[in-house]
Amino acid sequence: MTALLPLKTQPGWKVRFVDYPRQFRKMETEIMETIHSVLSQGDLILRRQLLDFESGFAEFVGTRFAVGLSNCTDAIHLSLRAAGIKAGDEVITVSHTFVATAAAIHHAGAVPVLVDIGDDHNMDVRLLEKAITPKTRAIVPVHLNGRLCDMDPLMTVAEKHGLIVIEDSAQALGASYRDKRGGSFGAAGCFSFYPAKLLGAFGDAGALTTHSEEIAEKVRSLRDHGRNKAGDIDGWSFNCRMDNLQAALLNLKLARLSECIARRREIARLYHERLSSVTELRLPPPPGASGIYYDVFQNYEIEAPQRDKLVSFLKEKGIEILIPWGGKGVHQFKALGLSDFELPRTERLFRNVLMLPLHTELTDDQIEYVSDVVRKFYGC
Ligand SMILES: *Cc1c(COP(=O)(O)O)cnc(C)c1O
């Protein structure tokens, strides 16, 4: 999602990829009141607003505990440590993810092992067993674009081989599989509140969810220099706390989350209605297409032939477009030393993938405009 960084405020965009100013204006009064109240009380680090957020968030996801953290990368890193991952262990994940997933595994001392994706752009669970070796300790499924991985077979493989599951749920807050929410299947779920995420903070923030009191306590200590409840130090650690101010603002937004998810699903439905007749495109399934999955559409990621020409055409028409992770999977970044994996489906994806704008501030007219421009490109 840091891929959003190069986007400058460029006059002339008719449709922004994310519209932070419009989002702010919608809630301006409440936001400013909250900031004023937090600052005037001096509630800055590990205060009540954070505890409120943690309990509200755990309740939403359906876990016993949530721990507020600095970002999702740290949530993955600390949960791997809390689950006992050690140097030399192998952890299975995918290449179609933000570099953060692999980086967190690396910083826990483990080796990322990458498996290919399926047509849903998520981990192809059928390939899991082939990737397991005597060193494998964990699986980090990445629930991408607001759709969960195929969790039943994944959990079956994990149980059969005694592997820990840590979910990268950065893009899947509120998504469910057989009525169970992302972040509540494994030993821990890891969430990002990066501003462009479904529940966006006004800066960086993240959280971990878990049913395990032991993991919650360990991560509470790990996020705060290893300091435990008794005031002793458990070991060398880090500073990965969530700012209390961010927690207070996230509380405001958490109260509106269901509304926001409903609008995202409505936009996805409208895109599907207007674009499904373009036979060249491969679209995500519309909301409700499967009884098993409840998708939240963090992104509207499509596959399109002549992708680069389509992107230029859309940009010329004032539509801001993103190609995920700058157009490369994790294994395609040479400096990371992960280029030995053979991931044909992932590589095919990166030749034709792009994301259309999907955020709660989009108007129906804008959705129609984007769809018309795409249809025009393909001559239909
Ligand atoms: C955004 C994202 C992350 C990292 O989240 P941060 O809060 O920026 O650390 C990790 N994984 C995925 C899939 C993401 O989209």
Side-chain angles (χ1 to χ4, degrees):
M1 275 283 147
T2 331
L4 292 173
L5 272 181
L7 304 178
K8 301 280 174 338
T9 311
Q10 192 167 318
W13 287 123
K14 288 196 173 75
V15 186
R16 300 299 313 258
F17 194 80
V18 197
D19 198 334
Y20 297 123
R22 203 190 277 183
Q23 200 189 87
F24 173 66
R25 284 196 297 276
K26 281 208 294 200
M27 299 180 67
E28 182 168 356
T29 313
E30 291 159 90
I31 290 170
M32 297 317 288
E33 278 170 12
T34 301
I35 293 175
H36 188 267
S37 132
V38 168
L39 298 194
S40 49
Q41 288 162 37
D43 282 337
L44 303 179
I45 300 285
L46 299 179
R47 303 304 288 262
R48 182 181 49 79
Q49 290 83 349
L50 179 64
L51 296 177
D52 288 349
F53 178 71
E54 290 177 338
S55 56
F57 193 72
E59 190 183 334
F60 183 86
V61 173
T63 54
R64 284 179 67 205
F65 306 97
V67 182
L69 297 165
S70 35
N71 54 62
C72 180
T73 314
D74 290 337
I76 304 171
H77 173 212
L78 297 190
S79 51
L80 288 166
R81 284 179 178 262
I85 298 301
K86 296 180 309 299
D89 290 344
E90 288 177 4
V91 176
I92 301 174
T93 190
V94 286
S95 178
H96 181 19
T97 183
F98 187 33
V99 65
T101 319
I105 294 169
H106 172 84
H107 290 304
V111 180
V113 172
L114 307 177
V115 297
D116 215 347
I117 53 171
D119 281 342
D120 61 357
H121 299 184
N122 277 336
M123 179 180 277
D124 185 343
V125 176
R126 293 168 307 178
L127 304 174
L128 265 179
E129 284 201 294
K130 265 204 312 213
I132 295 174
T133 76
K135 290 183 176 173
T136 310
R137 289 288 315 282
I139 307 170
V140 179
V142 182
H143 307 307
L144 220 54
N145 300 318
R147 156 162 290 217
L148 299 194
C149 295
D150 196 359
M151 289 311 280
D152 274 355
L154 190 146
M155 295 306 289
T156 303
V157 171
E159 272 158 37
K160 180 173 158 199
H161 296 270
L163 304 177
I164 297 156
V165 174
I166 307 280
E167 298 166 73
D168 180 339
S169 309
Q171 299 202 0
L173 176 58
S176 62
Y177 175 96
R178 296 192 196 279
D179 295 326
K180 202 167 159 175
R181 283 201 164 141
S184 71
F185 287 84
C190 303
F191 292 87
S192 173
F193 310 122
Y194 179 84
K197 296 284 156 75
L198 210 135
L199 179 64
F202 296 83
D204 279 307
L208 163 152
T209 51
T210 182
H211 301 296
S212 155
E213 186 160 19
E214 191 190 335
I215 288 186
E217 277 314 307
K218 274 194 190 161
V219 172
R220 285 204 171 97
S221 156
L222 283 169
R223 77 171 167 189
D224 190 31
H225 307 283
R227 286 189 285 194
N228 63 28
K229 273 184 182 160
D232 199 6
I233 300 271
D234 292 328
W236 297 111
S237 197
F238 309 91
N239 177 355
C240 308
R241 298 178 303 235
M242 182 198 282
D243 285 350
N244 201 66
L245 181 60
Q246 297 296 350
L249 294 166
L250 285 169
N251 279 329
L252 279 184
K253 284 194 162 183
L254 186 60
R256 298 188 177 189
L257 190 55
S258 301
E259 209 179 293
C260 151
I261 289 172
R263 178 60 185 156
R264 283 184 177 269
R265 285 169 57 84
E266 171 65 6
I267 296 172
R269 191 187 66 74
L270 291 170
Y271 270 141
H272 195 268
E273 198 175 282
R274 288 175 166 80
L275 293 175
S276 56
S277 60
V278 184
T279 51
E280 286 90 342
L281 299 177
R282 182 191 278 275
L283 306 176
S290 148
I292 299 178
Y293 293 93
Y294 182 89
D295 303 329
V296 295
F297 297 92
Q298 164 67 59
N299 297 308
Y300 200 75
E301 187 173 88
I302 68 173
E303 291 182 73
Q306 298 178 266
R307 188 264 320 265
D308 293 341
K309 280 191 187 147
L310 172 63
V311 169
S312 308
F313 188 69
L314 286 158
K315 287 188 172 166
E316 268 166 41
K317 306 284 181 194
I319 300 163
E320 196 174 30
I321 292 295
L322 269 193
I323 295 177
W325 333 118
K328 286 186 199 175
V330 170
H331 76 293
Q332 293 171 307
F333 291 97
K334 290 260 161 11
L336 303 177
L338 297 170
S339 31
D340 283 346
F341 295 99
E342 266 180 54
L343 308 167
R345 182 66 181 93
T346 305
E347 286 174 20
R348 179 151 64 87
L349 177 95
F350 282 108
R351 287 194 288 274
N352 63 18
V353 70
L354 72 146
M355 301 190 289
L356 299 180
L358 196 165
H359 56 81
T360 44
E361 284 64 54
L362 275 189
T363 65
D364 289 4
D365 285 349
Q366 285 178 311
I367 300 157
E368 199 170 318
Y369 176 67
V370 174
S371 307
D372 287 349
V373 173
V374 173
R375 295 168 66 102
K376 193 162 169 214
F377 178 81
Y378 290 107
C380 48

